[in-house]
């Protein structure tokens, strides 16, 4: 099962994405939602999602800064970008930063979302499956170790 984190500041978009597909039937689970990049970072460290679906325009930390931060931290997950028609320059920037693909918010349909997710999952599978699972396990261990060390100091 592939885990997905949804990052968008519009509650209606998060609700729509949660309900657009029977996620589990297609091999996906929603591990959480966040309203901006700042909220997303601790969820990413906690859940290590396989796919992050993020809006670009958000208060606090926008989607481009989130992508930049995740790439700097060598986050192994793939990133899908949500955009509006007028965001072409931002979408281009997101793709140059390493986003896997983009979806137009007003045109999201279950079949297009699923096709985009399946294409993204293929990118994950193209990496050595063992390598992908190892990255996730190591990331989780590092996070748990940091939490344990932090709690010992208190």
């Amino acid at each position: 099962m592939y885990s997905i984190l949804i990052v968008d500041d519009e509650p209606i978009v998060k609700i729509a994405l949660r309900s657009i597909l029977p996620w589990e039937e297609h091999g996906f689970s929603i591990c959480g939602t966040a309203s901006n990049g700042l909220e997303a970072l601790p969820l990413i460290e906690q859940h290590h999602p396989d796919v992050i679906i993020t809006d670009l325009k958000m208060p606090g930390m926008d989607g481009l800064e989130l992508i930049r931060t995740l790439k700097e931290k060598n986050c192994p997950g793939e990133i899908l970008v949500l955009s509006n028609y007028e965001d072409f320059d931002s979408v281009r920037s997101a793709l140059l930063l390493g986003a896997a693909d983009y979806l137009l918010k007003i045109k999201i349909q279950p079949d297009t979302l699923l096709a985009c997710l399946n294409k993204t999952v293929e990118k994950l599978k193209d990496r050595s499956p063992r390598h992908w699972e190892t990255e996730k396990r190591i990331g989780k261990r590092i996070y748990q170790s940091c939490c344990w060390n932090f709690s010992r100091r208190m």
Side-chain angles (χ1 to χ4, degrees):
M1 181 108 18
Y2 292 94
S3 59
I4 296 176
L5 177 69
I6 298 170
V7 186
D8 198 298
D9 61 323
E10 297 176 58
I12 193 75
V13 172
K14 290 187 279 194
I15 291 167
L17 285 172
R18 279 183 161 286
S19 60
I20 195 169
L21 285 173
W23 293 96
E24 289 77 20
E25 289 178 23
H26 296 285
F28 299 100
S29 66
I30 306 274
C31 65
T33 63
S35 295
N36 61 43
L38 292 173
E39 286 183 21
L41 289 174
L43 292 174
I44 293 166
E45 288 181 16
Q46 179 181 1
H47 297 290
H48 303 281
D50 300 302
V51 180
I52 299 161
I53 300 175
T54 185
D55 188 12
L56 291 176
K57 307 279 183 172
M58 297 176 289
M61 179 188 277
D62 67 16
L64 289 175
E65 188 60 32
L66 175 62
I67 295 168
R68 208 173 279 115
T69 300
L70 294 175
K71 292 303 173 180
E72 286 171 3
K73 292 182 175 191
N74 294 315
C75 176
E78 291 290 338
I79 301 165
L80 296 178
V81 171
L82 296 176
S83 74
N84 294 312
Y85 280 117
E86 64 271 6
D87 285 346
F88 179 74
D89 288 334
S90 296
V91 168
R92 183 177 180 279
S93 295
L95 293 172
L96 289 172
L97 285 170
D101 209 342
Y102 73 96
L103 295 160
L104 292 173
K105 282 185 180 183
I106 64 171
K107 287 194 169 194
I108 292 179
Q109 296 294 317
D111 58 337
T112 56
L113 175 60
L114 189 58
C116 189
L117 286 167
N118 286 332
K119 186 170 92 172
T120 302
V121 163
E122 287 305 312
K123 287 182 180 184
L124 293 172
K125 288 180 182 176
D126 284 346
R127 300 178 194 171
S128 164
R130 291 170 127 183
H131 177 68
W132 174 242
E133 286 305 315
T134 301
E135 282 180 3
K136 284 188 73 175
R137 276 196 313 275
I138 288 172
K140 190 171 189 173
R141 276 194 229 132
I142 290 169
Y143 177 76
Q144 289 169 339
S145 173
C146 289
C147 290
W148 186 78
N149 288 333
F150 179 76
S151 66
R152 278 189 24 195
R153 290 182 194 156
M154 295 187 85

Coordinates of all heavy atoms in Angstrom, one line a residue, residues 49-120:
P49 N 5.6 9.5 3.7 CA 4.7 9.2 2.6 C 5.4 8.9 1.3 O 6.5 9.5 1.0 CB 3.8 10.5 2.4 CG 4.7 11.6 3.0 CD 5.5 10.9 4.1
D50 N 4.8 8.0 0.5 CA 5.4 7.7 -0.8 C 5.1 8.8 -1.8 O 5.9 9.1 -2.7 CB 4.8 6.4 -1.3 CG 5.1 5.2 -0.4 OD1 6.2 5.0 -0.1 OD2 4.1 4.6 0.1
V51 N 3.9 9.4 -1.7 CA 3.5 10.5 -2.6 C 3.0 11.7 -1.8 O 2.2 11.5 -0.9 CB 2.4 10.0 -3.6 CG1 2.0 11.1 -4.5 CG2 2.9 8.8 -4.4
I52 N 3.5 12.8 -2.1 CA 3.0 14.1 -1.5 C 2.2 14.8 -2.6 O 2.8 15.2 -3.6 CB 4.1 14.9 -0.9 CG1 4.9 14.1 0.1 CG2 3.6 16.2 -0.4 CD1 6.2 14.6 0.5
I53 N 1.0 15.1 -2.4 CA 0.2 15.9 -3.3 C 0.1 17.3 -2.7 O -0.5 17.5 -1.6 CB -1.2 15.4 -3.5 CG1 -1.2 13.9 -4.1 CG2 -2.0 16.3 -4.5 CD1 -2.5 13.2 -4.2
T54 N 0.7 18.3 -3.3 CA 0.7 19.6 -2.7 C 0.3 20.7 -3.7 O 0.5 20.7 -4.9 CB 2.2 20.0 -2.3 OG1 2.1 21.2 -1.6 CG2 3.2 20.1 -3.4
D55 N -0.4 21.7 -3.1 CA -0.8 22.9 -3.7 C 0.5 23.8 -3.8 O 1.4 23.5 -3.1 CB -1.9 23.6 -2.9 CG -2.4 24.9 -3.6 OD1 -2.2 25.0 -4.8 OD2 -3.1 25.6 -2.9
L56 N 0.5 24.7 -4.7 CA 1.6 25.6 -4.8 C 1.5 26.9 -4.0 O 2.4 27.4 -3.4 CB 1.9 26.0 -6.3 CG 2.4 24.8 -7.1 CD1 2.6 25.2 -8.6 CD2 3.7 24.3 -6.6
K57 N 0.3 27.5 -4.0 CA 0.0 28.8 -3.4 C -0.6 28.5 -2.0 O -1.8 28.1 -1.9 CB -0.9 29.6 -4.2 CG -0.5 29.8 -5.7 CD 0.6 30.9 -5.7 CE 0.9 31.1 -7.2 NZ 1.7 32.2 -7.4
M58 N 0.2 28.7 -1.0 CA -0.3 28.5 0.4 C 0.4 29.5 1.3 O 1.5 29.9 1.0 CB 0.0 27.1 0.9 CG -0.7 26.0 0.1 SD -0.2 24.3 0.7 CE 1.5 24.2 0.1
P59 N -0.2 29.9 2.4 CA 0.4 30.8 3.3 C 1.5 30.0 4.2 O 1.4 28.8 4.2 CB -0.7 31.3 4.2 CG -1.7 30.2 4.2 CD -1.6 29.6 2.8
G60 N 2.4 30.7 4.8 CA 3.4 30.1 5.6 C 4.5 29.6 4.8 O 5.4 30.3 4.5
M61 N 4.4 28.4 4.3 CA 5.4 27.8 3.4 C 4.7 27.3 2.2 O 3.8 26.4 2.3 CB 6.2 26.6 4.1 CG 7.2 26.0 3.1 SD 8.0 24.5 3.8 CE 9.3 25.2 4.8
D62 N 4.9 27.9 1.0 CA 4.2 27.4 -0.2 C 4.8 26.1 -0.7 O 5.7 25.6 -0.2 CB 4.2 28.6 -1.2 CG 5.6 28.8 -1.8 OD1 6.5 28.0 -1.6 OD2 5.7 29.9 -2.4
G63 N 4.1 25.6 -1.8 CA 4.5 24.4 -2.3 C 5.9 24.3 -2.9 O 6.6 23.3 -2.8
L64 N 6.3 25.4 -3.5 CA 7.7 25.5 -4.1 C 8.7 25.4 -3.0 O 9.7 24.6 -3.2 CB 7.9 26.8 -4.9 CG 7.1 26.8 -6.2 CD1 7.3 28.2 -6.9 CD2 7.5 25.7 -7.2
E65 N 8.5 26.1 -1.9 CA 9.5 26.0 -0.8 C 9.5 24.6 -0.2 O 10.5 24.1 0.2 CB 9.2 27.1 0.2 CG 10.2 27.2 1.3 CD 11.6 27.5 0.8 OE1 11.8 28.3 -0.3 OE2 12.6 27.1 1.4
L66 N 8.3 24.0 -0.1 CA 8.2 22.7 0.4 C 9.0 21.7 -0.5 O 9.8 20.9 0.0 CB 6.7 22.2 0.5 CG 6.5 20.8 0.9 CD1 7.0 20.5 2.3 CD2 5.0 20.4 0.9
I67 N 8.8 21.8 -1.8 CA 9.6 20.9 -2.7 C 11.1 21.1 -2.6 O 11.8 20.2 -2.5 CB 9.1 21.2 -4.2 CG1 7.6 20.8 -4.3 CG2 10.0 20.4 -5.1 CD1 7.0 21.2 -5.6
R68 N 11.5 22.4 -2.5 CA 12.9 22.7 -2.4 C 13.4 22.1 -1.1 O 14.5 21.5 -1.1 CB 13.0 24.3 -2.3 CG 14.3 24.8 -2.8 CD 14.3 26.3 -2.9 NE 13.7 26.8 -4.1 CZ 12.6 27.5 -4.2 NH1 12.0 27.9 -3.1 NH2 12.1 27.9 -5.3
T69 N 12.7 22.3 0.0 CA 13.2 21.7 1.3 C 13.3 20.2 1.3 O 14.2 19.6 1.7 CB 12.2 22.2 2.4 OG1 12.1 23.6 2.5 CG2 12.6 21.6 3.8
L70 N 12.3 19.6 0.7 CA 12.3 18.1 0.6 C 13.4 17.6 -0.3 O 14.0 16.6 0.1 CB 10.9 17.6 0.1 CG 9.7 17.8 1.0 CD1 8.4 17.4 0.4 CD2 9.9 17.1 2.4
K71 N 13.7 18.3 -1.3 CA 14.8 17.8 -2.2 C 16.1 18.0 -1.5 O 17.0 17.2 -1.6 CB 14.8 18.6 -3.6 CG 13.6 18.2 -4.4 CD 13.5 16.7 -4.7 CE 12.2 16.3 -5.3 NZ 12.2 14.8 -5.6
E72 N 16.3 19.1 -0.7 CA 17.5 19.4 0.0 C 17.7 18.3 1.1 O 18.8 17.9 1.4 CB 17.4 20.7 0.7 CG 17.6 21.9 -0.2 CD 17.4 23.3 0.4 OE1 17.1 23.3 1.7 OE2 17.4 24.3 -0.3
K73 N 16.6 17.8 1.6 CA 16.7 16.7 2.7 C 16.7 15.3 2.0 O 16.6 14.3 2.7 CB 15.5 16.8 3.6 CG 15.5 18.1 4.5 CD 14.3 18.1 5.4 CE 14.4 19.2 6.4 NZ 13.5 19.1 7.5
N74 N 16.8 15.3 0.7 CA 16.8 14.0 0.0 C 15.6 13.1 0.3 O 15.7 11.9 0.5 CB 18.1 13.2 0.2 CG 19.2 13.9 -0.3 OD1 19.2 14.4 -1.5 ND2 20.3 14.0 0.4
C75 N 14.4 13.7 0.5 CA 13.2 13.0 0.7 C 12.9 12.0 -0.4 O 12.9 12.4 -1.6 CB 12.0 14.0 0.9 SG 10.4 13.2 1.1
P76 N 12.7 10.7 -0.2 CA 12.6 9.8 -1.2 C 11.2 9.7 -1.9 O 11.1 9.1 -2.9 CB 12.9 8.4 -0.5 CG 12.5 8.7 0.9 CD 12.8 10.1 1.2
G77 N 10.2 10.4 -1.3 CA 8.9 10.4 -1.9 C 8.8 11.2 -3.2 O 9.6 12.0 -3.4
E78 N 7.7 10.9 -3.9 CA 7.5 11.6 -5.1 C 6.5 12.7 -4.8 O 5.6 12.6 -3.9 CB 6.9 10.7 -6.2 CG 7.9 9.7 -6.8 CD 9.0 10.4 -7.6 OE1 8.8 11.5 -8.1 OE2 10.1 9.8 -7.7
I79 N 6.5 13.8 -5.6 CA 5.7 15.0 -5.3 C 4.8 15.3 -6.6 O 5.3 15.4 -7.7 CB 6.5 16.2 -5.0 CG1 7.4 15.9 -3.8 CG2 5.6 17.4 -4.8 CD1 8.5 16.9 -3.6
L80 N 3.5 15.4 -6.3 CA 2.5 15.8 -7.3 C 2.1 17.2 -7.0 O 1.8 17.4 -5.8 CB 1.3 14.8 -7.4 CG 1.6 13.4 -7.8 CD1 0.3 12.6 -7.8 CD2 2.2 13.4 -9.2
V81 N 2.0 18.0 -8.0 CA 1.6 19.4 -7.7 C 0.2 19.7 -8.2 O -0.2 19.2 -9.3 CB 2.6 20.4 -8.5 CG1 2.1 21.8 -8.5 CG2 4.0 20.2 -7.9
L82 N -0.6 20.4 -7.3 CA -1.9 20.9 -7.7 C -1.8 22.3 -8.1 O -1.1 23.1 -7.5 CB -2.9 20.8 -6.5 CG -3.2 19.4 -6.0 CD1 -4.1 19.6 -4.7 CD2 -3.9 18.6 -7.0
S83 N -2.5 22.7 -9.2 CA -2.3 24.1 -9.6 C -3.6 24.6 -10.3 O -4.5 23.8 -10.6 CB -1.2 24.3 -10.6 OG -1.5 23.7 -11.9
N84 N -3.7 25.9 -10.5 CA -4.8 26.5 -11.2 C -4.2 26.9 -12.6 O -3.0 26.9 -12.7 CB -5.3 27.8 -10.5 CG -5.9 27.4 -9.2 OD1 -6.8 26.5 -9.1 ND2 -5.5 28.0 -8.1
Y85 N -5.0 27.3 -13.5 CA -4.6 27.7 -14.8 C -3.5 28.8 -14.8 O -2.5 28.8 -15.5 CB -5.7 28.1 -15.7 CG -6.5 27.0 -16.3 CD1 -7.9 26.8 -16.0 CD2 -5.9 26.1 -17.2 CE1 -8.6 25.8 -16.5 CE2 -6.7 25.1 -17.7 CZ -8.0 25.0 -17.4 OH -8.7 23.9 -17.9
E86 N -3.7 29.8 -13.9 CA -2.8 30.9 -13.9 C -1.5 30.7 -13.3 O -0.6 31.5 -13.2 CB -3.5 32.1 -13.3 CG -3.8 32.0 -11.8 CD -5.2 31.4 -11.5 OE1 -5.9 31.0 -12.4 OE2 -5.5 31.3 -10.3
D87 N -1.2 29.5 -12.8 CA 0.0 29.1 -12.1 C 1.1 28.5 -13.0 O 2.0 27.8 -12.5 CB -0.3 28.1 -11.0 CG -0.9 28.7 -9.8 OD1 -1.0 30.0 -9.7 OD2 -1.5 28.0 -9.0
F88 N 1.1 28.7 -14.3 CA 2.0 28.0 -15.2 C 3.4 28.2 -14.8 O 4.2 27.2 -14.8 CB 1.8 28.4 -16.6 CG 2.7 27.7 -17.6 CD1 2.5 26.4 -17.9 CD2 3.8 28.4 -18.1 CE1 3.4 25.7 -18.7 CE2 4.7 27.7 -18.9 CZ 4.5 26.4 -19.2
D89 N 3.9 29.4 -14.5 CA 5.3 29.6 -14.1 C 5.6 28.9 -12.9 O 6.7 28.3 -12.8 CB 5.6 31.1 -13.9 CG 5.6 31.9 -15.3 OD1 5.8 31.2 -16.3 OD2 5.3 33.1 -15.2
S90 N 4.7 28.8 -11.9 CA 5.0 28.1 -10.7 C 5.0 26.6 -10.9 O 5.9 25.9 -10.4 CB 3.9 28.4 -9.6 OG 3.9 29.7 -9.3
V91 N 4.2 26.1 -11.8 CA 4.2 24.6 -12.2 C 5.5 24.3 -12.8 O 6.1 23.3 -12.5 CB 3.0 24.3 -13.1 CG1 3.2 22.9 -13.7 CG2 1.7 24.4 -12.3
R92 N 5.9 25.2 -13.7 CA 7.2 24.9 -14.4 C 8.3 24.9 -13.4 O 9.2 24.0 -13.4 CB 7.5 26.0 -15.4 CG 8.7 25.9 -16.2 CD 8.8 27.0 -17.3 NE 10.0 26.8 -18.0 CZ 11.3 27.2 -17.6 NH1 11.4 27.8 -16.5 NH2 12.3 27.1 -18.4
S93 N 8.3 25.8 -12.4 CA 9.4 25.8 -11.4 C 9.3 24.6 -10.6 O 10.3 24.0 -10.2 CB 9.2 27.1 -10.5 OG 9.4 28.2 -11.2
A94 N 8.1 24.1 -10.2 CA 7.9 22.9 -9.4 C 8.5 21.7 -10.2 O 9.2 20.9 -9.6 CB 6.5 22.7 -9.1
L95 N 8.3 21.6 -11.4 CA 8.8 20.5 -12.2 C 10.3 20.5 -12.3 O 11.0 19.5 -12.2 CB 8.1 20.4 -13.6 CG 6.6 20.1 -13.6 CD1 6.0 20.3 -15.0 CD2 6.3 18.7 -13.1
L96 N 10.8 21.7 -12.5 CA 12.3 21.9 -12.5 C 12.9 21.5 -11.2 O 14.1 21.0 -11.1 CB 12.7 23.3 -12.9 CG 12.4 23.7 -14.4 CD1 12.6 25.2 -14.6 CD2 13.3 22.9 -15.3
L97 N 12.2 21.8 -10.1 CA 12.7 21.4 -8.7 C 12.6 19.9 -8.5 O 13.2 19.4 -7.5 CB 11.9 22.2 -7.7 CG 12.3 23.6 -7.5 CD1 11.3 24.3 -6.6 CD2 13.7 23.8 -7.0
G98 N 11.9 19.2 -9.3 CA 11.8 17.7 -9.1 C 10.4 17.1 -8.9 O 10.3 15.9 -8.6
A99 N 9.4 17.9 -9.0 CA 8.0 17.4 -8.9 C 7.8 16.4 -10.0 O 8.3 16.5 -11.1 CB 7.0 18.5 -8.9
A100 N 7.1 15.3 -9.7 CA 6.9 14.2 -10.7 C 5.9 14.6 -11.8 O 6.0 14.2 -12.9 CB 6.4 12.9 -10.0
D101 N 4.9 15.4 -11.4 CA 3.8 15.7 -12.3 C 2.9 16.8 -11.7 O 3.1 17.2 -10.5 CB 3.0 14.5 -12.6 CG 2.3 14.5 -14.0 OD1 2.2 15.6 -14.6 OD2 1.9 13.4 -14.5
Y102 N 1.9 17.2 -12.4 CA 1.0 18.2 -11.9 C -0.4 17.9 -12.4 O -0.6 17.2 -13.4 CB 1.4 19.6 -12.3 CG 1.1 19.9 -13.8 CD1 0.0 20.6 -14.2 CD2 2.1 19.5 -14.8 CE1 -0.3 20.8 -15.5 CE2 1.8 19.8 -16.1 CZ 0.7 20.4 -16.5 OH 0.4 20.7 -17.8
L103 N -1.4 18.4 -11.6 CA -2.8 18.3 -11.9 C -3.4 19.6 -11.8 O -3.1 20.4 -10.9 CB -3.5 17.3 -10.9 CG -3.0 15.9 -10.9 CD1 -3.4 15.2 -9.6 CD2 -3.7 15.1 -12.1
L104 N -4.3 19.9 -12.7 CA -5.1 21.2 -12.6 C -6.3 20.9 -11.7 O -7.0 20.0 -11.9 CB -5.6 21.6 -14.0 CG -4.5 22.0 -15.0 CD1 -5.2 22.3 -16.4 CD2 -3.9 23.3 -14.5
K105 N -6.4 21.8 -10.7 CA -7.5 21.6 -9.7 C -8.8 21.5 -10.3 O -9.6 20.6 -9.9 CB -7.4 22.8 -8.7 CG -6.4 22.7 -7.6 CD -6.5 23.8 -6.6 CE -5.5 23.8 -5.6 NZ -5.7 24.8 -4.6
I106 N -9.2 22.4 -11.2 CA -10.5 22.4 -11.7 C -10.8 21.2 -12.7 O -12.0 21.0 -13.0 CB -10.9 23.7 -12.4 CG1 -10.0 24.0 -13.6 CG2 -10.7 24.9 -11.4 CD1 -10.5 25.2 -14.4
K107 N -9.8 20.5 -13.1 CA -10.0 19.4 -14.0 C -9.8 18.0 -13.3 O -9.8 17.0 -14.0 CB -9.1 19.5 -15.2 CG -9.5 20.6 -16.2 CD -8.8 20.4 -17.5 CE -9.4 21.3 -18.5 NZ -9.0 21.0 -19.8
I108 N -9.6 18.0 -12.0 CA -9.3 16.7 -11.4 C -10.6 15.8 -11.5 O -11.6 16.2 -11.0 CB -8.9 16.8 -9.9 CG1 -7.5 17.5 -9.8 CG2 -8.8 15.5 -9.2 CD1 -7.1 17.7 -8.4
Q109 N -10.4 14.6 -12.1 CA -11.4 13.6 -12.1 C -10.7 12.3 -11.6 O -9.5 12.2 -11.6 CB -11.8 13.4 -13.6 CG -12.5 14.5 -14.2 CD -13.8 14.8 -13.6 OE1 -14.6 13.9 -13.3 NE2 -14.1 16.1 -13.4
P110 N -11.6 11.4 -11.1 CA -11.0 10.2 -10.5 C -10.0 9.5 -11.4 O -8.9 9.0 -11.0 CB -12.2 9.3 -10.2 CG -13.3 10.3 -10.0 CD -13.0 11.5 -10.9
D111 N -10.4 9.3 -12.7 CA -9.6 8.6 -13.6 C -8.2 9.3 -13.9 O -7.2 8.7 -14.0 CB -10.3 8.3 -14.9 CG -10.8 9.5 -15.6 OD1 -11.0 10.5 -15.0 OD2 -11.1 9.4 -16.9
T112 N -8.3 10.6 -14.0 CA -7.0 11.4 -14.3 C -6.1 11.3 -13.0 O -4.9 11.2 -13.2 CB -7.2 12.8 -14.7 OG1 -8.0 13.5 -13.8 CG2 -7.9 12.9 -16.1
L113 N -6.7 11.5 -11.9 CA -5.9 11.4 -10.6 C -5.3 10.0 -10.5 O -4.1 9.9 -10.2 CB -6.8 11.7 -9.4 CG -6.1 11.6 -8.1 CD1 -4.9 12.5 -7.9 CD2 -7.1 11.8 -6.9
L114 N -6.0 9.0 -10.7 CA -5.5 7.6 -10.6 C -4.4 7.3 -11.6 O -3.4 6.7 -11.3 CB -6.7 6.6 -10.8 CG -6.3 5.2 -10.5 CD1 -5.8 5.0 -9.0 CD2 -7.6 4.3 -10.7
A115 N -4.6 7.8 -12.9 CA -3.6 7.6 -13.9 C -2.3 8.4 -13.5 O -1.2 7.8 -13.6 CB -4.1 8.2 -15.2
C116 N -2.4 9.5 -12.9 CA -1.2 10.3 -12.5 C -0.6 9.6 -11.3 O 0.7 9.5 -11.3 CB -1.7 11.7 -12.1 SG -0.3 12.8 -11.8
L117 N -1.3 9.1 -10.4 CA -0.8 8.4 -9.2 C -0.1 7.1 -9.7 O 1.0 6.7 -9.2 CB -1.9 8.0 -8.2 CG -2.4 9.2 -7.4 CD1 -3.6 8.8 -6.6 CD2 -1.3 9.7 -6.4
N118 N -0.7 6.3 -10.6 CA -0.1 5.1 -11.1 C 1.2 5.4 -11.8 O 2.2 4.6 -11.7 CB -1.1 4.3 -12.0 CG -2.2 3.7 -11.2 OD1 -2.0 3.3 -10.0 ND2 -3.4 3.5 -11.8
K119 N 1.2 6.5 -12.6 CA 2.5 6.8 -13.3 C 3.6 7.2 -12.3 O 4.7 6.8 -12.4 CB 2.2 8.0 -14.2 CG 3.4 8.4 -15.1 CD 2.9 9.4 -16.1 CE 3.2 10.8 -15.6 NZ 3.0 11.9 -16.5
T120 N 3.2 7.9 -11.2 CA 4.1 8.2 -10.1 C 4.6 7.0 -9.4 O 5.8 6.9 -9.1 CB 3.4 9.2 -9.2 OG1 3.0 10.4 -9.9 CG2 4.4 9.7 -8.1

